[in-house]
Amino acid sequence: MRVHLMHLFVVTAWNSYCCAYVDIDLNQILLYLKVDNTKSHMTLKKQKKTLVNPFIKLIEDKIKIADAVKDGKPLSTLKDIKFVKPL
Amino acid sequence: MSNHYNLISVPGGYEFTTISGDVYLVYFTEFSLLNPDDEQNYIETYSFGFNCKRANPDKRHRFDAKTKATILNILEQYFEEHGEDAFLYICLNTDGLARNRWITFGKWFREIENDYERHQSRIEYGSQHWYSALLVRQDNARKQRYIDAYHFTLKQMLEGSDDDAEEPKE
């Protein structure tokens, strides 16, 4: 549930809805996103299996990286992003 | 004279500085695609991205030719060393410029399309447009596996993608 709420928080923030990260009523979020309950139920089930939506996480990671670069912080401070150096 | 900027290795990625003083950070991260043939396992690949710290943030941001050449050189180097792999990228969509990035990168990648395939997707999800693409070498024996996994992951993770997952027009 925590992961799912983070995804919804990111999406709703972009739509200028203010939501407390912790105290989010899922039904209210679903209403804002105009997602019906059956779809969201299926989404929850999928996310339970896979834990995290990789595309949403990728956008979240890009935002964190952009903020770190802007603030002059090294990428090593971003502990939840798995950087690789394939070159 | 080289047609691209010198790349230096930094923690977490690679960096280059343009003639105008902009500093680009190029990075790869792990990215797990869902496996359509096996629900329990993933197909591991990488995501690619880059970010720019502007020397003059007030000036309009334009990519110069050497920046484009540097990015393409990185991708070609990646595929030289990891011909059996693929990678994907997604355009940041939080500032209203995702489509602009999409168009720009599309033009860049057309310069190397003889050797690589780019499979694109534009999906509306959560009132945002999500522009992403998977790149893979044309001669990669496993390329269809990556392509199938990419589209499968999009379909599973970004709802309402059955129609929108077709190749978008730039």
Side-chain angles (χ1 to χ4, degrees):
Chain A
M1 181 58 72
R2 180 173 183 272
V3 171
H4 184 64
L5 287 173
M6 171 62 95
H7 300 163
L8 295 175
F9 173 80
V10 172
V11 172
T12 54
W14 290 331
N15 289 285
S16 301
Y17 293 120
C18 295
C19 298
Y21 171 61
V22 174
D23 298 326
I24 295 174
D25 182 283
L26 186 60
N27 287 329
Q28 285 187 339
I29 296 296
L30 295 175
L31 185 63
Y32 291 146
L33 293 177
K34 296 187 173 67
V35 174
D36 67 53
N37 287 334
T38 55
K39 270 190 180 177
S40 61
H41 178 65
M42 284 177 67
T43 303
L44 277 171
K45 279 178 73 175
K46 286 169 199 169
Q47 289 184 343
K48 257 189 190 172
K49 194 185 289 188
T50 59
L51 297 181
V52 64
N53 184 321
F55 292 102
I56 291 180
K57 185 176 186 307
L58 187 52
I59 289 287
E60 290 172 356
D61 290 349
K62 288 174 82 73
I63 294 169
K64 289 177 188 173
I65 292 167
D67 287 343
V69 169
K70 188 178 71 171
D71 297 338
K73 292 179 184 171
L75 296 186
S76 54
T77 58
L78 304 174
K79 298 296 180 191
D80 59 341
I81 300 177
K82 295 178 183 173
F83 292 102
V84 294
K85 299 184 80 171
L87 304 182
Chain B
M1 182 164 37
S2 173
N3 70 336
H4 53 84
Y5 295 111
N6 289 332
L7 208 59
I8 59 171
S9 181
V10 296
Y14 311 89
E15 215 173 70
F16 65 90
T17 304
T18 70
I19 197 165
S20 57
D22 294 340
V23 179
Y24 281 80
L25 170 71
V26 180
Y27 55 87
F28 292 85
T29 62
E30 291 181 358
F31 192 94
S32 299
L33 293 167
L34 301 179
N35 187 340
D37 300 322
D38 182 352
E39 291 181 352
Q40 302 302 318
N41 288 305
Y42 300 97
I43 294 175
E44 300 298 335
T45 184
Y46 299 125
S47 74
F48 168 81
F50 61 90
N51 194 272
C52 176
K53 186 162 187 179
R54 309 285 316 285
N56 186 352
D58 295 327
K59 206 173 169 186
R60 187 171 176 180
H61 187 201
R62 289 190 183 278
F63 294 110
D64 63 20
K66 268 182 113 169
T67 297
K68 177 189 73 175
T70 307
I71 297 294
L72 292 180
N73 183 258
I74 290 169
L75 301 183
E76 289 181 303
Q77 192 179 340
Y78 171 86
F79 279 122
E80 262 181 39
E81 298 178 26
H82 303 276
E84 74 287 359
D85 289 335
F87 72 83
L88 66 86
Y89 68 86
I90 192 166
C91 297
L92 189 67
N93 59 359
T94 55
D95 58 2
L97 296 176
R99 188 170 179 274
N100 300 66
R101 295 184 177 98
W102 179 253
I103 291 170
T104 298
F105 301 155
K107 287 179 186 170
W108 290 7
F109 291 130
R110 273 199 284 275
E111 294 191 16
I112 58 173
E113 67 182 357
N114 288 340
D115 298 319
Y116 310 102
E117 290 182 14
R118 183 168 58 112
H119 296 263
Q120 308 173 67
S121 169
R122 182 185 70 113
I123 294 175
E124 187 171 347
Y125 174 75
S127 302
Q128 294 287 338
H129 281 103
W130 298 66
Y131 295 87
S132 68
L134 177 87
L135 267 78
V136 62
R137 280 182 66 109
Q138 287 195 3
D139 60 359
N140 185 337
R142 302 190 302 177
K143 83 178 170 188
Q144 197 56 50
R145 186 165 174 260
Y146 284 111
I147 295 165
D148 292 344
Y150 169 62
H151 286 298
F152 181 73
T153 307
L154 283 167
K155 188 176 176 180
Q156 295 295 311
M157 291 289 111
L158 300 181
E159 290 183 311
S161 62
D162 286 331
D163 296 325
D164 291 341
E166 296 301 319
E167 302 280 326
K169 292 178 186 173
E170 292 172 357

